[in-house]
Amino acid sequence: MKRVTVRVPATTANLGPGFDAFGCALSLHTDVTFEETDSGLEITGCDEAFTGPDNLAYTSYCAVLASLSEEVRGVKIHIDAQIPVCRGLGSSAALLVAGAIGANVLRGGKLSTQGLLNITNAMEGHPDNLAPAFYGGLTASMVDNGLPVTVSFPLHPDWQFLALVPDFDLPTTVAREALPTTYPRADAVYNISHGAMVLKALELGNEKLLRNAMQDRIHQPYRKGMIADYEKIEALIRTTGAAFCLSGAGPTLLCITRDPMLKDKLAEKLDRITTANWQLLPLHVEFQGARVLRCE
Ligand code: HSE
């Protein structure tokens, strides 16, 4: 076997209060093909800026080979990405996951999904996007003794996700630098209690509980100033009854609702209050995690 294509879902991390812990896979995908060659690295299908050895699909590919004590030979990598880059929908995690699975499959599939999650989590530093990208669905993760532990949670079938994706990006490094290094105890209690309620509300399909629970004091208050029109858009969404949060580190904003008309209700009003262009992307939960599409 010399060539493998891996499909990885988009992910939304945090879901409000679950900073660096909660994540959910969504119905957008990035496909990455790895083909071993005699020498060198060739990356196609992405911006020139991402075609070097620091490409995340390649770095995780190399990390998995290193953990298997296997030699890195030449490789051609082709990226076919639906997931928008640097928008808070897990584009980086998707590349890390694809590279890890690609290398593992090409060299005989010796590592388990947990093993691949361990390796990629050491690279990313938090498992909230990686876990649902590997496993699909809604997950919560903790890091214990340096290793990620993930559990999956049920979701009510009527939820609809609507991502508001702007035409500007926000690198995660910048969005993380904006955060304090310590927090008051009251903020920690606020997030722990709200986080527990988010998971139950998602299971029950309780939109009112979710709307109240999906609030946060750890990251969103420090990031909203970096996102044009955040407060105006949040106020508009709150008039619809949908639950609202920043998707990951942003700048995408996420609505979770049971109202199939939410997109129509927001579309026209959004144009009137915003300065940037926002694409409204209806999505659903992707229950299937990363998978091998083709092996040749
Ligand atoms: N939990 C991460 C953050 C997600 O909010 O910074 C983005 O990688």
Side-chain angles (χ1 to χ4, degrees):
M1 188 192 312
K2 288 285 173 223
R3 184 178 152 126
V4 61
T5 300
V6 182
R7 169 164 290 182
V8 189
T11 46
T12 185
N14 302 329
L15 294 160
F19 180 72
D20 279 2
F22 297 174
C24 187
L26 297 172
S27 54
L28 275 180
H29 300 90
T30 286
D31 294 347
V32 189
T33 300
F34 300 84
E35 183 175 3
E36 294 206 286
T37 62
D38 290 336
S39 66
L41 167 67
E42 187 187 329
I43 301 180
T44 54
C46 60
D47 259 28
E48 180 70 27
F50 302 118
T51 57
D54 54 355
N55 180 290
L56 293 174
Y58 184 63
T59 54
S60 69
Y61 178 91
C62 292
V64 166
L65 293 187
S67 85
L68 291 167
S69 305
E70 294 246 0
E71 167 203 8
V72 179
R73 301 184 204 124
V75 63
K76 272 190 201 174
I77 299 176
H78 181 72
I79 300 169
D80 183 3
Q82 275 185 348
I83 307 173
V85 176
C86 269
R87 294 295 196 285
L89 287 166
S91 60
S92 303
L95 292 181
L96 288 170
V97 169
I101 294 177
N104 191 43
V105 170
L106 284 171
R107 300 298 174 91
K110 296 183 194 87
L111 294 176
S112 64
T113 302
Q114 178 68 50
L116 300 178
L117 177 60
N118 295 349
I119 293 169
T120 48
N121 183 58
M123 303 173 77
E124 174 102 316
H126 43 91
D128 47 342
N129 289 103
L130 294 167
F134 273 115
Y135 296 114
L138 171 66
T139 60
S141 304
M142 62 181 180
V143 178
D144 197 41
N145 284 324
L147 293 177
V149 178
T150 295
V151 289
S152 293
F153 286 83
L155 276 151
H156 194 277
D158 289 352
W159 289 121
Q160 320 237 349
F161 288 66
L162 182 67
L164 280 60
V165 186
D167 58 3
F168 56 86
D169 65 11
L170 177 57
T172 299
T173 44
V174 175
R176 290 182 82 82
E177 276 161 15
L179 305 184
T181 50
T182 58
Y183 293 88
R185 183 189 339 185
D187 290 353
V189 171
Y190 185 94
N191 270 55
I192 292 165
S193 53
H194 282 67
M197 297 295 159
V198 163
L199 295 173
K200 198 64 187 174
L202 286 169
E203 177 187 344
L204 295 175
N206 185 330
E207 192 164 1
K208 180 166 183 269
L209 182 63
L210 186 64
R211 190 165 62 237
N212 292 331
M214 223 168 59
Q215 302 188 78
D216 156 75
R217 289 190 184 167
I218 299 284
H219 69 111
Q220 293 181 176
Y222 306 99
R223 290 171 162 168
K224 61 185 180 186
M226 294 186 282
I227 298 165
D229 303 319
Y230 179 105
E231 283 184 337
K232 279 193 270 182
I233 297 173
E234 178 177 9
L236 171 62
I237 292 167
R238 291 207 178 279
T239 65
T240 68
F244 164 88
C245 67
L246 194 56
S247 182
T252 290
L253 307 177
L254 186 72
C255 306
I256 306 181
T257 182
R258 295 179 62 166
D259 176 2
M261 301 308 291
L262 180 66
K263 181 182 175 193
D264 297 339
K265 287 180 185 164
L266 285 181
E268 188 202 342
K269 290 180 183 157
L270 198 61
D271 274 350
R272 282 195 239 128
I273 61 164
T274 53
T275 46
N277 283 317
W278 294 78
Q279 183 192 2
L280 272 57
L281 211 53
L283 298 169
H284 57 80
V285 176
E286 172 57 90
F287 287 98
Q288 198 172 3
R291 60 197 182 271
V292 173
L293 272 191
R294 276 184 298 277
C295 265
E296 289 153 6

